[in-house]
Amino acid sequence: MLKGKTALVTGSTSGIGQGVARAFAAQGCNIMLNGFGDADEIEAARAAMEKEFSVKVAYHGADLTDVAQIEDLLQTAADTFGTVDILVNNAGIQHVAPIEDFPVEKYDKIIALNMNASWHTMRLAVPGMKKAGWGRIINIASAHALIASPFKSAYVTAKHGVAGMTKTVALEVAQHGITVNAICPGYVWTPLVEAQIPDTARSRGISEEAVINDVLLLNQPTKAFTTIEQVGGMAVFLAGPAADNITGSLQSMDGGWSAQ
Ligand code: NAD
């Protein structure tokens, strides 16, 4: 069903984005990877994905906090593959600190990457999708698009913004064969989560083990992390025909966190 489509997945050199890119490649989609990392490792992962799934995989290292680089990424994807059929806005960073100590440049960066970049990629991808009469936009938001946690003021602000733009753009493109949805995972075990454990421990004055058990999984009734593969599976579902009439939705994958 998705074979031959092109999926652009931002922040796909690591974690959830890499998993989502692999999930679409497994469906026969050509992939445009994006994100930071060691050049040799990225090239090895790109080539391996091409070989494993017999699809075309390209890479563009745009820094998505820079609008000109976002424009170049979308242009390169269109030049390479002809079109972007599936856009997955996934790139994101985190910073954990009380608001009075929150570095201003970190706030600006989180808003630029976690929120504004998704607005720009949608702005640039929608015309091609409208022309094709088909498109799928999947924004990797967070449970923090629905509920808040202390010390994450920038992240929670950005993710609530993503929820708003998901619904708004969904309404705008509803009659063009394009759906726009957000996936809202609770905690997924990735480098992003691992990296915030020491800061959270410091901010709360507790051990790193206590952060995992008493903070991260405290609100997830299943007491389990969501997996990268599960997020990839949800993204593929949202791009498939069973989801043709699902748009403007926020799909929770949080072990029951937001049900409380
Ligand atoms: P990660 O740190 O493993 O991956 C982040 C990706 O974004 C990497 O590929 C990185 O190179 C890329 N990136 C960072 N800055 C960038 C920039 N300026 N321009 C382009 N790419 C950039 O993180 P992850 O945990 O896989 O998170 C991916 C997304 O999922 C984020 O939006 C995050 O908010 C969201 N999310 C994660 C969790 C979780 O528990 N891990 C939960 C809910 C939502």
Side-chain angles (χ1 to χ4, degrees):
M1 223 76 74
L2 298 173
K3 199 170 162 52
K5 304 265 190 221
T6 296
L8 163 59
V9 185
T10 70
S12 44
T13 53
S14 170
I16 293 171
Q18 194 171 58
V20 169
R22 287 180 59 80
F24 279 116
Q27 298 295 316
C29 294
N30 296 317
I31 306 291
M32 175 58 89
L33 297 171
N34 157 258
F36 297 157
D38 177 79
D40 290 342
E41 280 175 25
I42 292 171
E43 172 51 24
R46 187 203 64 75
M49 206 182 286
E50 257 188 358
K51 198 167 167 213
E52 183 175 352
F53 300 111
S54 302
V55 295
K56 202 168 169 207
V57 181
Y59 164 74
H60 190 296
D63 178 343
L64 302 181
T65 62
D66 180 321
V67 177
Q69 292 187 47
I70 296 174
E71 289 173 350
D72 194 57
L73 168 64
L74 270 289
Q75 190 58 54
T76 303
D79 291 347
T80 308
F81 296 113
T83 171
V84 173
D85 304 300
I86 300 163
L87 168 65
V88 182
N89 286 309
N90 165 80
I93 51 171
Q94 174 65 283
H95 189 77
V96 180
I99 190 161
E100 65 271 30
D101 300 332
F102 213 99
V104 171
E105 65 278 8
K106 282 274 183 204
Y107 176 82
D108 288 342
K109 203 167 178 187
I110 289 173
I111 297 298
L113 178 63
N114 294 18
M115 187 175 80
N116 294 348
S118 300
W119 186 83
H120 286 292
T121 55
M122 288 199 279
R123 165 177 78 79
L124 296 162
V126 158
M129 291 177 175
K130 276 188 173 173
K131 209 165 147 204
W134 194 92
R136 293 287 177 267
I137 299 174
I138 298 162
N139 296 323
I140 307 298
S142 168
H144 284 121
L146 305 164
I147 44 187
S149 294
F151 313 123
K152 296 185 176 177
S153 53
Y155 187 87
V156 172
T157 301
K159 294 296 186 181
H160 275 66
V162 169
M165 75 176 76
T166 298
K167 295 184 204 175
T168 308
V169 179
L171 300 179
E172 293 182 21
V173 299
Q175 293 182 25
H176 293 271
I178 307 168
T179 66
V180 189
N181 293 289
I183 299 176
C184 300
Y187 285 101
V188 186
W189 190 258
T190 68
L192 180 142
V193 165
E194 226 176 326
Q196 67 186 274
I197 291 172
D199 282 347
T200 305
R202 213 169 304 122
S203 294
R204 293 180 181 250
I206 57 176
S207 72
E208 296 192 9
E209 200 187 341
V211 170
I212 294 174
N213 295 318
D214 304 340
V215 179
L216 300 186
L217 294 180
L218 173 72
N219 295 317
Q220 287 192 197
T222 57
K223 297 293 172 207
F225 287 95
T226 299
T227 68
I228 286 171
E229 290 73 22
Q230 288 164 350
V231 179
M234 174 64 90
V236 167
F237 168 75
L238 288 172
D244 277 354
N245 208 30
I246 299 177
T247 197
S249 77
L250 310 176
Q251 303 284 334
S252 289
M253 298 187 74
D254 60 9
W257 181 0
S258 58
Q260 296 169 101

